[in-house]
Every structure is written in structure tokens, then in C-alpha cells.
Amino acid sequence: MKFPLRYLLPLALLGLTAIALATVLQFSDLPPADFTFANGTEVKSVDPKMVTGVPEGRVIEALFEGLYQRLPDPADPTTMITAPGQATSYELSDDKLTYTFHIREDSVWTNGEPVTAHDWVFSWQRFLHPQLPSEYAYQLWYVKNAEKYSLSKVEVGDRVEIEMADRSGPKMSPAIDGNSEQHYPRGTIRSGILQEINVVTVGEDENAKTGKYFVVNVQPTKDGEIDWDADGETQTFVKLSEENVVLKKILKDVPDVQQVNFLTVHWDEVGIKATDDHTLVVTLANPTPYFLDLVAFYPMHPVNRTCIETYGYPRWTKPENIVSNGPFTLEFRRIRDRIRLRKNPKYWDAENVKLNIIDALAVQSDTTMLNMYMNGQIDWETSIPIPALEKLQERDAARDEGSLPDLRISPMLTTYFYRVNTTRPPLDNPSVRRALNLAIDKEEIVKYITRAGQVPADSLVPTGLPGYAGGHTGQYDPKEARRLLAEAGFPDGKGFPKIQILYNTHEAHKDIASVIQQQLKKNLQIDVELRNLEWSVYLASQKNLEFDLSRAAWTADYPDPNTFLDMFVTDGENNQTGWSNAEYDQLIHDAQSEPDPAKRLEMLSEAEQILMDEAPILPIYYYVSMNIVRPYVKNFYPNLQDLHPLHILEIDEAEKQRIFAAEGLR
Amino acid sequence: MTRFLVRRAIWILITLWLVYTFSFFLMLSVPGGPMSSERSYPPEIEKMRRDRFHLNDPWPVQYWHYLSNACYGDFLASQVLNDYEVSEIISEGFPVSATLGILAMALALVLGLSAGIISALWRNSLLDVMFRSLATIGIAVPNFVLAGIAILIFVFQLKWFPAAGWGKPIDMVLPAICLAAPFAAYISRLTRTGMLDVLGQDYIRTAYAKGLMSSTVVLKHAVRGALLPVVSYLGPAVAGILTGSLVIERIFFLPGLGTHFIEAVTQRDYTTSLGIVMVSTALVLVMNTLVDVSYQLLDPRIKLK
């Protein structure tokens, strides 16, 4: 019998539905996690060297552990201290330049290899390597010669190392700047002393391309060591990363020139040494009082050499390949869904890690997050939809006395501010900028718009850093503002051109900008326009100084005023105001090498006062961290940096049952 | 038929290339890029980060680089989710979207067809009025509003379903219903009109006159005739379900292609967004071809050229 073709369609549909239903039913019934939290955006990578974000930090801190770790102080859990991690102790030399870390002997990687000082030498070299596009590499530039190494800055007379172009990645393509898939496993390395740097230019004027080639006295090795005193052999090298036209010209003009992956200052010159398996000696360029905090910061966490050399990047980050040394292991990742972490039984302090399975969900929508929280699907949420804030506060207020609230709001080291484009008149006049600042009533903004207990700001560096006085702008003072504006030649705002406030798409930014618009009109008779741009466009405009006023925020990388202040040095990448002040630059620079901590903070205060007087930025408010956590989660403490290590958290099961029963949840 | 399919295939390839080229240049002309971040880096590091994805090359060079790889089905690495290739993102996201889409489609067809047939058979009855009002509401209410209402009722009042998430069969129920609703409504309208049209025709009267059971008449003769407008609606419906799922996936936190697409576009992840655009375009084009083919199967009077 002939099969009637017209049945094909319904049959196909039936078949597809059956497949879909089977897929649905086949969903592996995952064991539920002990602890689930909303981590915000999907993490860009779990390689500690490749990321800078907060969500990434939470996952990486769970997978890897650094020399030191930041934990709540047992005496006062709302402050963080640096506690021993993979290092048990350290000594600091009298000149505050040399740190000697003692690495614990009982720590192993998940592949069974012991964790040694050499792991840091490898990891930090990879981190600083000129060919690894690591975003946070500059956090290690406090180490002697690290910056030179990282940026391949060389001078005649330097000891240099050269990687020959005989390495290839998994796809067998040559490794040129940034394009190498492996980034680190190295080709043949030659060492020598740089004798000449020759600059070659092709083309004229604007189209001119320049490149360099290097003449090096290559030293031989003796007994596996480089013999720096030998006569050596003169060779010339050019980097593969040079512009094509320049490279061609050099290859044509210079006989015997060799193409190389990179040429940089010799690694032996960088202040990172393993003197034995368990001793790491780090020499800094300048005394850096917050160096221990940096060492505890996730980009500095070690990565496993065997794993990286076997799989290369990014394959080494796959759950089936990754080797880590932290309290948790990576069980699986589902893109933009969840990362599942499981307790690492080999972790040195495993007996104090209480949670077995943790799910980090990549939920983006605040509302979805709150729905899931209220439905008992997640235990900790890292942001709150502002419209729900009041209801949540009421809910907490109605709780029995003594029980923990769900909402945990506390000050943090982040400042919301406006950048002023100091290259555009009349904003190039400090009196005008000061007038703008004094005419903004910040109290009104935190009271009616942000509403979660944010603090009006009169400085860039948030309050709360011990021993730091800071610089201040002075309080809201419309009268003084009018006087300053008149002094600058705009009495009652007459003749003042219309200015624009730039912000990225977000309800709160828009509301704040409108309030400032009204206040400037009311207090100074200045007309202000609002310009809303989508995130990437806004960033580009801000970078290119295409704005009058632009909304911004900055979060501390480490608990020290320097993290805020060093961004405003002349031509700093994050300055983005066009502002420059020689005295300020000098103070920031000098403070970096000031060994006396009190004096150093004084210098930074002085610098901040200059910043506040000159007002290239208008501080608006200091942030608060807004977490919402189920009260049965133990050891969750609000702190200035909003850090919540996962491995100290614990679930009070009885309390959980009680709360779920009371709310009718499963 | 074969000639029709070959010609269609050529057109699909040309369309894909045009869509690719257009999306590529449109995307690059928008300011910002995958490397934009609030934090700025020293120029050397910035260069290296960009070099990794050929972002420092002129557009035509980049275009050639991406296109030549895409021709082999390799959309390269994601420029934002550094640990993944675009093909990995698509192959993880596609089953989620496809499952949701197929379930929603099946639901829409089952609900829509039965409601439409019932409405037509009992024309102007209370049931008909009810179904018709429901259909009007279903078409008028956007699915994110529907999702909000459904969450309020089924998640927080009745506590039947989880609020969001992906992992258990129960997680699919609410999203599939919310996604299906407007399509079910539209299909029920089309079916009702089609049925009324067919029921008045001579061959139906003849069938009744022959003494056939009314169920046989309706299911065997009438429905087939009424199905044609519904089938022609399936092409746009598949496209609609694909785009509609962007919102639903976001609300219900489903890691489907829609979620990946929105994120890739907002983060300027050029490679990922291009990859997803290509896959979705190919899907819509293929679905339309299948619908055209099915016309002939349903109605022998239609010949494909």
C-alpha cells in the first residue's frame, strides 16, 4: 500500500513532540545543591588571570586559593582580615620591600601534585607574560621589574630573554601577540644582553608605521645556567607582532634577522623567586602596605602548570580538565545557567568546609532573582530590585525579635560620582566645577532615589578606611555655588552654555540625572540636557571625552585609598576627565615609595584634597552593598568590600525547615 | 519538486550570505565592542586583548576572517565568554530553545485546533463565545504580561510550579504555556474560520447525506480542508516562537538561544551574535520551505515550481 504523503506532516510534528517530551523527561534529576546563589552575569572565564569581574571573583575564590585569603575577623566579623591560605606565614624585610612566604606543606592540587612555591613562579610569570592578555596584570606591577617584563619595555644594557618562534598552539598556528591559543608554554628561550635597539619607519607623516629590531649579545649556557660573563654571540631579532609592512622591510634590509615571539626583560630580573619548594621570595619596587591584600586577591591565585601545558587555554578550564587547589572543585558548567561547585576533599582545610554542593546561578534579571528567592529556590541574592525594597524592609521589620533579617545592607567601598570634562570651556574652570558640586543636594538623591541607606559623598574615597582622613568638597551650599559661578563670569547663570549629562541606560541613573538637572536649574540657573546611551556606547563616549558631565562609579580593588586616587593621575587610563595636576601626580607618585604608613596616608589625603578643590569629579554618594540572604545561612557578614567567602558558609538545617514550613515552601 | 528544492537551497544560501554580511557591518558600525569595560587598561594590554580577536584589523579583513571560517561552520571563540567556542554556546542553547519551542508549538496546535473546531461546530454557543473571548485576550496580551500573571497565580498563590529555572520537567510547564498562548489563540481563530467555511460546502453536505457519522465527517473531511490556513501560519509561527522565546527565556531564566542572543548583542560579542543569527535565519528559511512543501501534500491542487 502506498503511504499517503499527507500524513507526513502530522507524523513529523508528533515525532518532534515526542522527542521534546523525552528530552524534558530525561533531564538528569540533579541532586539539589546545599546552597544556591544568584551570581549575576555569566562568568567570562574561570581562569584567574583572564577576568576582572565580581561574579568571576566569587567562583574563582571558591576554586583556587592564594597565598593569603580575606576572611571575616573573628573578633569583629564585619571587618575583613588577611588570613593564611596556601602560605602559613610570611616575613617582611626591614626596608618593607622583600616578602618571604612560607608555603604550607600539606596542600595538594586536585590532580594530586603538591602545591609548591614554583607554582607561583609559573603562575605569576604567565600572568605577567607579554603575550597573555591578562586584564589585571598591572596589579602585580608593584613587584620589581614586573611592569617592564609585562610590557616588554627594554633598554640597551638590559638582560633580556627571547622566545624563538618555534612554539605552536594546539591548532599549530604560530604564536604572535595575543593570538596564541596557549599563551604560555614557551618555545626555545635565548638569553642575552641587549646591545642596540634600531627603529625602522615605513611611510610618511600620518601613515608612517614604525617598528624595532634588536641586536642582542646572546649568552651561552653552562651546566644548565646562563653564563652571563661569557663573550656571547651577536644576533638580531624582530618581533612577529610588528606591523606587516615594517616586518617585511626589516626582513629585507637586515641580514640574518630572526623572527621571535617576544623579547622582554629577563625573567631572572623580576622579583619573584622560589628558593625552595616551600619558600617564595617576592621583592617589590616600592613599599606597598596593601600588598598582602593584593596577594589575597583572586588574580594572584596559582594555576596548575601540568594542566595548562597539557590542555592549553581555554581547554584547561573545562570541568573535565581543570585542576585547582581551593575549597571547591568545578563539577559542571551550563552556559548562562549554573556553575556547580563541589567540596574538594583534598583541600587542606576540608574539615571546616561545611557546604557540599553549591550552585552559582547566572540570573540576570533582578525580578526573576527575587521570584526565585521568595520561592525558596535560592538562598542568597546579590542585588535587589529597588521597587521591592520597601516591601522587603517591611517584611524584615515584622520578624520576631532576635531572628536575622533577610536584607543585609551595609556600607561598601564604592563611590558614585560624575566625571567632568575639564577640556571643554567653561568646565575647564575649577570655580565652575566647584560651583556645580556645591549646587547639588546629594542628601535629596539618597533620600528619594537610591533609598537603601546610601551616604551622600563629599569625597572620592568612601569613609571607613582606618587612619585615612581624606580630602573633602564641603557640604551642599547653593549660595556659595552662586558666588563661585559669578566669580567665574556667569552671574545667575547668564551666558552659561547648555551642558549635557551622559549616563548609561538604567532607571536609577536617569532619576539621579534628572534631580541634578533640576537642582542646577534651581540653584544656578544653568540649563542641563540629559543624554542616555546604551552601555558600550556610553563607555566609548566617556573614553573619548565626548561629554560634559558623565556618570561613573568606582569600586575598590583592595582596601586602600590608592585604588581610587591613582586613577586620576595625568593620562591615567581611567582618568577620563582630561584633568591633570603636577602636584597631585607627584604626591601619588611619592606616596607609592613612602615607607611610613601614617605619612603615606597623609600624602594621599593631601592629594585627595587637591582633587576635591579642583573638582574634575563631583562625588554623589557612597554605595551600600545590598544582599538578601536567608537567615538560616550562617557566617554571612556584611563588610566594606562586600566579600562573602563561600567556604565559610553553613546552613542551619533546623532553621531552614522552620522557615520553609512557615512560608509554605518545599 | 526536486527543481523547486534545489532552487530553494540556492536562494537560502544567498539569503544567508546577505544576512551575514548585513548583520556583520551593522554590528561593527555600532559604537563599543566586546572589549569595552568600565576599567581601562594600559595601551599595550588593550592592544593584546583586541589582537586576540583581530579587532585591530580593518573591517574587510575581519569580515573575510570571520566569513571564511563561518563557511566551514566554525564561528570561532566567543569574544566575551572566553572559555567557550560559539559552537559550544549554540549547541548548549539550541536544545533548550528547541524543546521549549516544540512543546509550545504542540500545545498551541492542540489547544488552538480543538478550541477552533469546537467553536465552529457549536457556533454562537456559550462555549464559542468563551473561546473567542479567550482568543482575543490571548492575542492582545503580550507574553511577558501573561508570564507575570501566571507566576503570581501558579507560583506564589498555588505554589504548583517553580518561579524560574531549568533542570526538571516541571520547569518547562509555565514557560511553554506562556509562549504557546498567543499562538494557540491565533490558531483557534484560523481553525474556526476555516471550519465554518468548509462546513458550508457541498461535499460536507454530501458526506452527511451518505449517512456518515458526524465525527467521521468532521475529522476526516472538514478538518483537512480547514487546516490549510493553519499550516500556512506555521511558518511565521515558528519564527514568532523563536523570537517570542527571547522574553520568556529571560523571565523564566532558561539558558536557551534567546538568552544567549540578547546577552551577546548587549555585550557586543560579535562572533556569538553572528553565529546565533545564522542558525536562527537558517531555521526560519528551512521551516518556510517545509511549509511550502506541505501545501502540496495537503492540497494536491497546489503545484510547486
Side-chain angles (χ1 to χ4, degrees), chain A residues 163-193:
Chain A
E163 190 197 275
M164 306 310 291
D166 55 1
R167 143 168 68 116
S168 51
K171 286 189 184 166
M172 304 309 280
S173 49
I176 50 171
D177 268 344
N179 285 329
S180 149
E181 297 122 18
Q182 296 273 64
H183 297 304
Y184 183 66
R186 315 163 85 193
T188 310
I189 299 288
R190 292 194 192 155
S191 309
I193 295 164

Side-chain angles (χ1 to χ4, degrees), chain A residues 336-349:
Chain A
R336 293 201 173 92
D337 180 27
R338 71 187 64 210
I339 290 181
R340 174 157 286 200
L341 304 167
R342 190 180 276 275
K343 180 175 168 176
N344 174 9
K346 291 181 179 156
Y347 178 59
W348 65 271
D349 197 20

Side-chain angles (χ1 to χ4, degrees), chain A residues 5-6 8-9 13 16-17 20-21 23-25 27-29 41-47 50 52 129-139 141 151 153 171 177-179 183 241 313-314 317-318 333-338 361-365 368 371-372 374-375 377 534-540 543 551-555 557 573-574 576 663-666, chain B residues 30-49 51-54 74 76 80-85 88-90 92 95 98-99 102-103 105-106 109 151 155-156 159-172 220 224 231 234 250-255 259-261 263-269 272 290 294 297-298:
Chain A
L5 279 174
R6 63 169 186 274
L8 207 63
L9 197 73
L13 201 71
L16 279 176
T17 314
L21 280 173
T23 321
V24 171
L25 291 170
F27 284 156
S28 52
D29 238 339
T41 50
E42 170 72 25
V43 302
K44 291 187 177 181
S45 174
V46 292
D47 186 331
M50 304 292 281
T52 51
H129 199 281
Q131 284 182 302
L132 185 83
S134 55
E135 305 175 3
Y136 255 146
Y138 65 90
Q139 299 284 17
W141 289 356
L151 300 178
K153 285 186 178 155
K171 286 189 184 166
D177 268 344
N179 285 329
H183 297 304
S241 58
Y313 181 81
T317 61
K318 301 283 172 206
R333 286 178 78 175
R334 282 205 308 232
I335 307 168
R336 293 201 173 92
D337 180 27
R338 71 187 64 210
L361 304 190
V363 204
Q364 283 268 44
S365 152
T368 305
N371 283 345
M372 293 178 83
M374 287 306 188
N375 198 41
Q377 289 176 274
E534 188 265 346
W535 178 243
S536 303
V537 192
Y538 146 84
L539 286 176
K543 211 160 280 184
R551 143 301 113 179
W554 193 256
T555 303
D557 288 324
E573 285 85 18
N574 291 302
Q576 300 178 5
E663 291 186 18
L665 301 169
R666 268 153 297 156
Chain B
V30 178
M35 297 294 148
S36 33
S37 73
E38 199 153 17
R39 200 181 284 276
S40 292
Y41 305 99
E44 291 85 350
I45 289 185
E46 195 65 47
K47 176 176 183 298
M48 216 129 54
R49 296 175 70 220
D51 267 351
R52 184 151 165 252
F53 297 109
H54 298 262
D74 183 358
L76 303 172
V80 172
L81 299 185
N82 287 316
D83 295 351
Y84 292 104
E85 300 264 321
E88 287 175 286
I89 296 178
I90 293 176
E92 268 197 37
T99 310
I102 292 169
L103 286 180
M105 202 69 235
L109 279 172
I151 289 174
V155 177
F156 288 110
K159 297 186 197 293
W160 286 356
F161 300 109
W166 165 255
K168 296 194 190 74
I170 197 169
D171 291 336
M172 297 302 288
K220 218 174 159 186
R224 229 184 97 196
V231 170
L234 283 184
R250 188 131 174 135
I251 295 175
F252 289 101
F253 180 47
L254 302 176
T259 306
H260 298 325
F261 185 64
E263 292 299 315
V265 169
T266 47
Q267 298 175 332
R268 301 283 188 279
D269 186 344
T272 309
L290 286 181
S294 65
L297 302 180
L298 282 171

